[in-house]
Amino acid sequence: PLTNLPAPASNLIGRDAALADVADPLAAYRIVTLTGAGGIGKTRLGLEVARQLLPDFADGVWLAELASLSDADLVADAVAAALGLELAGGVASPDGVARALGPKQLLLVLDNCEHVIDRAACMAEGLARANPELCIMATSR
């Protein structure tokens, strides 16, 4: 499969305008961040947009869930695992992930970045700089 997105538990009802508000910027910008207070549905909205955009990305749409990380140094590991990458030497870094990813055309969703925001931002920047075909959607408080 070209995704690791979870299946939706239910339909997203009444959020058509919000879906467009997220999908449209992803067509124009390579990095888009959804921010807001906890519990307002950033992840749910982001995942639905990602599902809708799956046909637009030849190499798929991938979710890196960062909420469970207790150490910011593990962001690169979480991204590599989400993408199913095998890294040379087994050490994950933004540059190593970018090299292993190569020129793939994909959307990466970085979910729940707030507690590892600096490392998540470095990861997003490094991947975007190395791969002009990559788009990133991040969610964060």
Side-chain angles (χ1 to χ4, degrees):
L2 292 176
T3 188
N4 66 344
L5 295 175
S10 63
N11 292 331
L12 189 62
I13 299 171
R15 308 248 344 238
D16 291 340
L19 287 168
D21 287 345
V22 176
D24 291 346
L26 273 169
Y29 303 101
R30 295 182 46 228
I31 301 176
V32 172
T33 304
L34 306 179
T35 61
I40 64 169
K42 296 176 296 293
T43 294
R44 179 72 173 93
L45 180 64
L47 292 178
E48 187 58 34
V49 168
R51 277 187 207 91
Q52 290 182 3
L53 294 177
L54 185 57
D56 297 340
F57 292 93
D59 295 303
V61 174
W62 304 94
L63 170 65
E65 176 54 62
L66 306 179
S68 65
L69 297 183
S70 59
D71 182 351
D73 290 336
L74 298 176
V75 168
D77 293 288
V79 171
L83 293 168
L85 299 176
E86 298 208 13
L87 302 175
V91 178
S93 68
D95 290 338
V97 172
R99 278 192 304 278
L101 191 58
K104 293 189 178 187
Q105 183 201 23
L106 59 87
L107 171 63
L108 174 62
V109 180
L110 299 174
D111 191 34
N112 292 300
C113 297
E114 54 273 353
H115 64 295
V116 291
I117 194 70
D118 291 335
R119 292 296 171 94
C122 286
M123 174 60 68
E125 182 180 352
L127 291 175
R129 186 176 296 131
N131 182 344
E133 300 298 319
L134 178 87
C135 289
I136 298 168
M137 177 176 21
T139 70
S140 182
R141 291 183 193 171

